[in-house]
Amino acid sequence: MPAASWITARSCEPDTRGAGSGIGREMARRFHADGVIVNTASVAGLVGLKDRAAYYAGKGAVIAFTRQVAVQYAGTGIRCNSICPGTVDSPWVGRLVAAADDPEQALTGLVARQPMGRLGRPDEIARAALYLASDAAAFITGTELVLAGGLLAG
């Protein structure tokens, strides 16, 4: 692997280091019982797309880590799940669109690949995380909640 590719591939480390910083162990130490961890992964961790290996590998690692923590700490009352958003109308996506040669075409292209015909909204992602953290999700652990407007359905 060329050095530049290796550096790019290693850019997934913040995803895995951030999620892998001993969160389950720390929650068990501090709270001795019930707790909820909701990791932010991405639909990118569940599919592949050309030329995005490092990002997709990092998000896949967050999903795998979430499952491991769920199994490791389920007996302590700690639940661990991940949310997997698709393309969301966020500042990051806004910057990508603005930087495109034709921003209007870039946005149209992003929307066109969404089966629901629109981008996700940040409040929708936040409500999903709140649901997973709530008592309504008390029997859910070790899973991904995909918020991608049907992207994986077809």
Side-chain angles (χ1 to χ4, degrees):
M1 177 181 288
S5 297
W6 176 245
I7 291 167
T8 299
R10 290 182 51 93
S11 70
C12 69
E13 284 185 350
D15 284 333
T16 55
R17 284 187 306 199
S21 60
I23 53 179
R25 184 177 59 252
E26 185 62 18
M27 283 187 71
R29 185 185 69 76
R30 286 186 184 199
F31 303 111
H32 307 291
D34 301 336
V36 179
I37 301 164
V38 179
N39 289 320
T40 302
S42 169
V43 70
L46 301 168
V47 297
L49 188 63
K50 186 177 177 180
D51 297 328
R52 299 216 172 99
Y55 180 76
Y56 281 49
K59 294 305 183 178
V62 172
I63 292 167
F65 178 74
T66 296
R67 292 175 183 171
Q68 188 282 321
V69 168
V71 170
Q72 183 80 27
Y73 295 99
T76 70
I78 294 173
R79 296 185 294 111
C80 187
N81 294 293
S82 62
I83 54 173
C84 295
T87 307
V88 176
D89 187 7
S90 65
W92 183 75
V93 168
R95 287 190 299 275
L96 289 177
V97 168
D101 292 336
D102 184 344
E104 187 175 325
Q105 182 183 357
L107 181 58
T108 300
L110 285 175
V111 170
R113 72 179 196 195
Q114 310 305 314
M116 290 183 74
R118 67 177 180 85
L119 302 183
R121 296 189 320 261
D123 65 293
E124 293 169 322
I125 308 311
R127 283 196 306 271
L130 287 173
Y131 165 71
L132 287 174
S134 76
D135 289 341
F139 199 60
I140 300 173
T141 194
T143 196
E144 307 80 47
L145 181 54
V146 177
L147 301 114
L151 190 64
L152 299 184

